[in-house]
Amino acid sequence: MKPRKIPMRKCVVSNEMKPKKEMIRIVRSKEGEISIDPTGKLAGRGAYLSMEPDVVQRSWDNKILDRVLESKLTDEFYQELLDYVTHQKARRELFGHDK
């Protein structure tokens, strides 16, 4: 049987190529609304970040997502994103990479 191709994406902060499942997608809709996309399927302009709290913190400090998504993000959104990534990383360490 032929091995399945693993979709790869590039982190906008670290410029590392990683499997899509190890990344978090942030999407800007046509209306300009920014949201976290855990499914990776929402319509709109997307940017991928590594699922690491330090990467999210660097993005917040340097306002990288603001530039990539061409909009002004609030500190509340960055805090929500940091909390989400921290939670997901803890889940993966507890339950393994299948969840």
Side-chain angles (χ1 to χ4, degrees):
M1 210 166 125
K2 189 176 174 184
R4 289 188 73 109
K5 182 181 173 197
I6 299 172
M8 302 291 277
R9 298 293 183 264
K10 184 185 258 189
C11 175
V12 296
V13 177
S14 65
N15 288 324
E16 285 182 273
M17 293 293 286
K18 290 188 176 181
K20 185 178 175 183
K21 288 191 179 268
E22 294 178 16
M23 309 283 273
I24 182 70
R25 183 172 185 247
I26 311 302
V27 66
R28 184 192 71 210
S29 66
K30 285 187 178 183
E31 294 79 33
E33 185 179 322
I34 308 290
S35 59
I36 298 170
D37 182 10
T39 63
K41 296 178 181 178
L42 289 177
R45 171 85 168 111
Y48 286 88
L49 288 175
S50 296
M51 196 77 77
E52 296 291 333
D54 60 321
V55 169
V56 174
Q57 188 63 52
R58 246 189 335 173
S59 169
W60 189 356
D61 294 341
N62 299 325
K63 302 291 186 192
I64 293 171
L65 283 176
D66 291 36
R67 286 194 303 266
V68 171
L69 296 174
E70 298 172 351
S71 67
K72 179 80 175 107
L73 298 175
T74 63
D75 286 341
E76 290 82 25
F77 178 80
Y78 276 112
Q79 186 61 52
E80 178 187 346
L81 178 60
L82 186 59
D83 293 342
Y84 179 82
V85 168
T86 304
H87 175 76
Q88 289 299 322
K89 184 172 179 172
R91 277 183 57 111
R92 285 196 174 161
E93 289 173 2
L94 280 175
F95 302 116
H97 291 286
D98 297 336
K99 301 283 180 208

